[in-house]
Amino acid sequence: MPVQHPGQAAPAPASAPNTDPHRFPGLARFNALPPADAEAALLACCGSRRWARRLAAHRPYPDPGALLAAAEEAGYDMPPADLAEALAAEPAPGLRETAPHSAHLALRAAHAAYESRFGHVFVICLDSYDPAEHPDQVLAGIRARLGHDPDQERVTTADEMRRLARGRIIGLISDS
């Protein structure tokens, strides 16, 4: 373990995102948006109106880390009705049009089984995967999560929604 000397900043954890403001030129633009426009931009990140209003109301954010922390906190505070609203706005992860017909059928069947069991669309954050791996990850994720009990799946779904929102916010503030 590295030694920290007095007056020296603590090292960032290995998994900490790079929140250098210069990498996120869209943060100033986001902070300057009218409230309704900021809410609309945030609704594209997560479909809960209360979540979007909460984040928009706390602007301006001094840096990307503050915005991401606020989004994470708002995600953890999201009541079941708001999570249901966010899930209702989510598209089901799909395949490229060029994928074989049999793959489309298999994915539709898997989504139908998941939605029948849990009552909402399947969500998964695929940010850490190569796009070529997405179909396999979606199918594997659905198959694995069909074995969850409803409470376990509710927790997993909320985690995936927070991860999706985080990635979308990074995209929002990364745009110039």
Side-chain angles (χ1 to χ4, degrees):
M1 176 172 238
V3 176
Q4 184 179 347
H5 300 285
Q8 179 184 14
S15 62
N18 181 347
T19 57
D20 173 13
H22 301 293
R23 281 194 56 224
F24 298 98
L27 180 61
R29 180 182 46 81
F30 169 73
N31 279 334
L33 288 173
D37 292 345
E39 286 179 30
L42 289 164
L43 278 170
C45 298
C46 176
S48 164
R49 290 184 305 254
R50 185 183 326 217
W51 179 90
R53 275 193 305 270
R54 177 176 172 175
L55 290 177
H58 286 94
R59 293 174 308 136
Y61 291 97
D63 57 59
L67 172 56
L68 294 172
E72 185 83 2
E73 181 181 337
Y76 276 109
D77 291 346
M78 194 180 296
D82 291 352
L83 180 59
E85 178 184 35
L87 288 168
E90 283 296 312
L95 300 173
R96 293 186 185 132
E97 288 182 24
T98 58
H101 181 67
S102 59
H104 284 279
L105 290 175
L107 187 58
R108 272 198 298 274
H111 277 296
Y114 180 90
E115 289 178 28
S116 174
R117 174 147 168 71
F118 296 111
H120 58 79
V121 69
F122 174 78
V123 292
I124 187 169
C125 181
L126 299 169
D127 290 352
S128 62
Y129 295 97
D130 184 84
E133 297 176 56
H134 290 183
D136 292 337
Q137 291 300 321
V138 170
L139 282 170
I142 290 173
R143 288 182 184 131
R145 288 167 53 188
L146 277 170
H148 287 180
D149 65 57
D151 289 335
Q152 182 182 18
E153 184 55 22
R154 194 171 7 268
V155 169
T156 301
T157 297
D159 287 343
E160 291 297 319
M161 284 299 303
R162 283 189 297 277
R163 290 178 60 211
L164 284 168
R166 178 184 183 81
R168 291 168 181 166
I169 288 170
I170 289 171
L172 173 70
I173 64 174
S174 295
D175 292 339
S176 54

